[in-house]
Amino acid sequence: MSGITSLHAHMPVQEKQPNTRAHQHQASAVEFEALVLAELLRAAGAGKPVTGFESGLGEDQFASFLVDAQARAIAARGGIGLAEMVMRASEKDGGAGHV
């Protein structure tokens, strides 16, 4: 089994949900949280090599993809609560606010 295949075997299967406005708002809030988390991870040094070996341009570019994927995974599993706060604020506005 390849590394990619084994990785996908351990990832949870996402069920299809109805494409309602509330679901779209939730998805937008989670994506926003993922963007914020990615920036926080980058600021904390995630994706930087920990060894003294020189890294090339390709490593830097792919490290960015890794950080983005990690941030999306964190946000999809509940994150730090930012998406929930955005959703509550949206509900407080009567749903008029845009996420």
Side-chain angles (χ1 to χ4, degrees), residues 36-48:
V36 171
L37 284 168
E39 292 305 315
L40 290 172
L41 289 170
R42 282 187 190 91
K48 301 283 184 198

Side-chain angles (χ1 to χ4, degrees), residues 61-81:
Q61 291 173 339
F62 283 105
S64 175
F65 290 126
L66 175 62
V67 169
D68 289 342
Q70 290 169 332
R72 277 199 261 7
I74 293 168
R77 287 168 178 78
I80 57 174

